[in-house]
Amino acid sequence: MKVYLIVVACFIFSALSSANRQLHSEDKQQGVPLDSIALSDPAILADTRTNTYYMTGTGGKLWKSKDLKYWTGPYNVVQIDTTSWMGHKPMIWAAELHKYQDKYFYFATFTNPAVKIDSFRGNDIERRACHILVSNNPDGPYVPMKDPVYLPENKPTLDGTFWIDKDGLPYMIYCYEWLQTWDGTMEKIELKPDLSGSVGEGKLLFKSSDSPWSREKDKSGNIKPNMVTDGPYLFTTGIGRLGMIWTSWIYDVYTQGVAYSESGTLDGPWIHEKDPITPPNFGHGMLFQTFEGKWLMSVHSHKDINGKYRRIPHLFEVDLSGDKLKVGKIYRP
């Protein structure tokens, strides 16, 4: 019996080691400048435990850096349940890493193109939803937790992010995509204490049409509010004011704005600043603090090249010391 148990233990250890090697066995590029990486929705975790910056985004890969200037990667760090609604090879968008209760959580949007949940105005809507994976280490592997579904199966949701509100409870803030309503929304849902699932139903925070700066033209050429809500990220200013950066469009220009909560909680009401906060064609931002204490905002630039988008990560200096977020110059480490 002892020999049998030893053999089983060795087999399990070998299997786990093999899986971990597979996750990290791809050919890696080293010393890659940030602006040489093609990546949408860049999000950076500054991990003080390892003194390393970890960058995720769309595509399900991870990059590592010690100085924000040169990066190594990409690493494959995601393990999914292929028997779940995601299928064998889901698309992965807008991944973020958050450290919470001594674990690391991977917030991302997963899409299974093979499953259609609805058809609206002639468009088939694919199964798409925000989901959370967990790991004991910042570089993974990130694996599923208890609940297979965090948000309603019949709603396309995306760009989930994390926030602890003043009630001390954890929440996921996410976008209900415009595809079913023609007016995207920003919503919140309470999470279980260990983030392994959601509690109750989502609650509306604001609509895309509430924004004074996002605009588009309809088929008749009439100007109206843009319908897209993308990339929420929460922060507090130096005086404790709760804000949210988020992204939409001004006609064909990818643009990022900011809103502030009058109540200081996720429930708002949310008051939108009149003007965008970044230069044209930058968006989907998030905020982090360097190991030296400097606040930065990561975004991607958005360029149309012969009908295909090219998106590159960039860093902007930000000032949070007052009552509003102020975006400064591009940061070059």
Side-chain angles (χ1 to χ4, degrees):
M1 178 60 72
K2 290 183 179 180
V3 173
Y4 173 77
L5 292 176
I6 291 173
V7 170
V8 170
C10 289
F11 174 79
I12 294 173
F13 177 79
S14 177
L16 291 174
S17 298
S18 176
N20 192 58
R21 284 196 301 272
Q22 289 177 7
L23 284 173
H24 294 81
S25 64
E26 307 96 327
D27 292 334
K28 300 296 173 295
Q29 304 174 56
Q30 297 186 5
V32 182
L34 182 65
D35 59 6
S36 295
I37 300 172
L39 181 68
S40 301
D41 316 323
I44 296 175
L45 171 71
D47 184 56
T48 54
R49 195 187 83 184
T50 58
N51 199 40
T52 302
Y53 297 102
Y54 299 89
M55 181 169 65
T56 52
T58 287
K61 306 292 185 178
L62 177 141
W63 292 79
K64 302 179 186 180
S65 176
K66 290 293 186 180
D67 58 9
L68 294 175
K69 186 174 183 179
Y70 297 111
W71 295 80
T72 299
Y75 296 90
N76 183 11
V77 296
V78 176
Q79 292 181 349
I80 62 166
D81 178 3
T82 58
T83 66
S84 72
W85 66 266
M86 296 181 190
H88 287 274
K89 197 174 181 180
M91 293 186 288
I92 303 176
W93 295 352
E96 297 180 358
L97 301 182
H98 294 273
K99 187 177 182 182
Y100 181 65
Q101 294 182 344
D102 294 324
K103 291 185 179 292
Y104 298 86
F105 294 89
Y106 188 95
F107 284 64
T109 304
F110 295 85
T111 301
N112 186 344
V115 178
K116 305 299 189 290
I117 61 171
D118 199 0
S119 180
F120 187 72
R121 296 194 179 187
N123 295 318
D124 288 333
I125 302 174
E126 300 168 342
R127 179 74 189 277
R128 177 177 301 125
C130 304
H131 202 81
I132 306 172
L133 307 179
V134 67
S135 177
N136 290 320
N137 301 295
D139 57 353
Y142 287 89
V143 300
M145 290 186 281
K146 181 179 179 181
D147 287 6
V149 176
Y150 281 76
L151 294 166
E153 300 178 18
N154 61 346
K155 292 176 64 174
T157 57
L158 72 164
D159 295 354
T161 190
F162 183 52
W163 190 251
I164 304 294
D165 210 5
K166 285 189 175 180
D167 57 9
L169 299 175
Y171 291 88
M172 178 162 62
I173 297 82
Y174 61 94
C175 303
Y176 174 23
E177 199 169 19
W178 57 272
L179 292 170
Q180 279 180 319
T181 64
W182 241 239
D183 189 4
T185 64
M186 205 68 72
E187 303 185 3
K188 73 166 187 176
I189 193 166
E190 183 184 339
L191 297 173
K192 294 180 179 180
D194 62 357
L195 312 191
S196 64
S198 57
V199 179
E201 299 180 351
K203 181 178 180 181
L204 174 69
L205 303 183
F206 61 82
K207 299 179 179 180
S208 178
S209 57
D210 295 335
S211 164
W213 54 264
S214 61
R215 290 291 178 264
E216 64 178 280
K217 291 183 179 179
D218 63 19
K219 292 181 179 179
S220 301
N222 300 312
I223 297 174
K224 65 175 187 177
N226 195 280
M227 52 194 169
V228 172
T229 48
D230 271 352
Y233 200 85
L234 284 295
F235 66 92
T236 53
T237 68
I239 65 168
R241 190 181 187 191
L242 178 62
M244 181 196 301
I245 53 177
W246 67 287
T247 300
S248 189
W249 296 79
I250 300 178
Y251 307 117
D252 61 345
V253 178
Y254 197 60
T255 305
Q256 182 166 263
V258 64
Y260 294 96
S261 169
E262 283 198 332
S263 67
T265 72
L266 289 174
D267 290 328
W270 289 91
I271 308 301
H272 298 264
E273 292 288 280
K274 178 182 177 182
D275 298 315
I277 60 172
T278 49
N281 285 316
F282 288 91
H284 207 290
M286 59 82 61
L287 304 171
F288 70 98
Q289 202 168 17
T290 68
F291 298 130
E292 294 74 35
K294 188 176 189 66
W295 280 101
L296 299 176
M297 179 172 65
S298 70
V299 296
H300 70 246
S301 57
H302 184 93
K303 187 175 183 180
D304 188 335
I305 302 177
N306 298 322
K308 293 184 178 181
Y309 292 136
R310 179 168 174 80
R311 292 169 171 172
I312 303 295
H314 300 272
L315 302 176
F316 279 87
E317 297 181 2
V318 295
D319 180 2
L320 291 173
S321 61
D323 67 333
K324 293 184 178 182
L325 179 152
K326 296 180 180 179
V327 179
K329 62 183 180 181
I330 286 184
Y331 177 74
R332 304 188 187 281

